[in-house]
Amino acid sequence: MNRILLASAFLLVSISAVFADETPSAQPASAVVSPVPAAVSPVPAAVSPAPKAPALKLVEPHLHITRSNIAGHARIALTFDACMGQADERILSTLVRERIPATIFVTARWLKRNPAVLAVFLQNPDLFELENHGQNHIPAVDRPTLIYGIASAGSPQAVRQEVEGGAAAMVAAGIPAPHWFRGSTAKYDLSAIGEIRAMGYRIAGYSVNGDGGSLLGAVITEKRIASARDGDVVISHINQPTHAAGEGVAKALVDLKTKGTQFVRLEDVEDTGDDKTTQ
């Protein structure tokens, strides 16, 4: 009898196991995932790399004026940037005392801080030609970049604002409308040069860097400027009265005058600039 009971129990367990294998276990609907046939599996679309923007090319244009071609009387154009800050009286007093003409590039920022010096410029129209150095001393480059640590204008609209803002400040201060523009750092990209020229401005490069941004010592500055030759355009700064370079600039002016140099302003002579800055 015991054997019959054990056999019956074993048979019941086996039948239950079979039904359990054939009946799917209850699961939440969210847990059931239908397999995706391999034939219709999604294939990522090929992504083309974005085209690279052309490399930014900066130029620092040269400018020359018509030579005198007279031995011992080289013709030189002195240009000075008045970026911001004050005025260097060592240079200004030498220009006035020695009656040496020069072209001064002023920013709106500098004009605002130096009305007394502006009055001196305006009282000596035979000596000083005043031209546009921009509104806020921002490099006239129409793509974002840093030049000597200074952020560029960064767009065509910002380049236009820098140029037009500088010109507007000059006219508001009683200065005749400018015809020349020189941007901060004197570096440009080619498209910005085209934009500035389309606005009606000639762009003032140079051929002799007199004071290295007013960062050179007095002796080397004097030598650089005094070495200028017939047809050269010299760039220096007239807004750093505490820098040693200003002393060298003042001495070089006297040196050149002693040699018989003919000083001219940009408006007085014909000129030639590269990178289509004056053509």
Side-chain angles (χ1 to χ4, degrees):
M1 185 65 177
N2 290 336
R3 291 179 180 178
I4 293 172
L5 292 173
L6 288 172
S8 298
F10 178 77
L11 179 60
L12 290 171
V13 170
S14 298
I15 292 171
S16 299
V18 170
F19 278 99
D21 289 342
E22 291 180 351
T23 305
S25 59
Q27 300 183 47
S30 60
V32 179
V33 179
S34 299
V36 178
V40 295
S41 297
V43 179
V47 179
S48 301
K52 293 183 178 179
L56 179 60
K57 178 184 178 182
L58 297 180
V59 297
E60 193 167 359
H62 293 92
L63 180 67
H64 289 85
I65 58 172
T66 303
R67 300 176 179 177
S68 72
N69 292 319
I70 301 174
H73 295 281
R75 179 182 293 154
I76 294 171
L78 297 173
T79 69
F80 293 94
D81 288 358
C83 311
M84 57 193 77
Q86 303 299 322
D88 192 330
E89 289 292 341
R90 295 168 298 182
I91 299 172
L92 179 60
S93 62
T94 300
L95 292 171
V96 174
R97 182 182 67 251
E98 301 293 335
R99 308 308 294 170
I100 295 175
T103 302
I104 314 293
F105 287 86
V106 296
T107 67
R109 295 173 64 176
W110 187 89
L111 287 174
K112 187 176 181 179
R113 296 189 60 178
N114 295 275
V117 181
L118 173 60
V120 174
F121 288 152
L122 295 177
Q123 290 164 6
N124 292 274
D126 58 322
L127 295 182
F128 300 115
E129 171 192 3
L130 301 180
E131 297 292 349
N132 188 359
H133 196 33
Q135 182 176 21
N136 291 308
H137 200 248
I138 296 173
V141 174
D142 61 15
R143 287 171 55 186
T145 191
L146 290 176
I147 307 174
Y148 305 133
I150 305 174
S152 66
S155 70
Q157 296 78 11
V159 169
R160 176 174 289 275
Q161 179 59 45
E162 175 70 3
V163 177
E164 291 185 341
M170 293 177 68
V171 172
I175 303 170
H179 302 287
W180 286 87
F181 175 80
R182 175 182 285 157
S184 167
T185 75
K187 291 181 182 289
Y188 315 81
D189 57 338
L190 296 178
S191 56
I193 287 176
E195 293 155 13
I196 297 166
R197 292 288 291 124
M199 294 169 65
Y201 290 91
R202 302 170 77 80
I203 298 175
Y206 60 90
S207 57
V208 175
N209 186 338
D211 62 1
S214 193
L215 298 177
L216 298 178
V219 174
I220 186 63
T221 296
E222 180 182 2
K223 288 181 178 179
R224 280 195 179 194
I225 298 176
S227 68
R229 299 180 179 181
D230 197 14
D232 273 334
V233 175
V234 180
I235 181 175
S236 298
H237 292 75
I238 196 169
N239 67 302
Q240 296 290 357
T242 64
H243 290 193
E247 178 185 348
V249 171
K251 289 182 177 179
L253 299 182
V254 176
D255 294 343
L256 288 171
K257 184 178 181 181
T258 301
K259 292 180 181 178
T261 299
Q262 177 188 353
F263 298 102
V264 295
R265 303 168 300 184
L266 293 181
E267 65 181 349
D268 298 329
V269 289
E270 295 184 355
D271 52 76
T272 303
D274 57 14
D275 296 307
K276 298 182 178 180
T277 50
T278 61
Q279 290 81 1

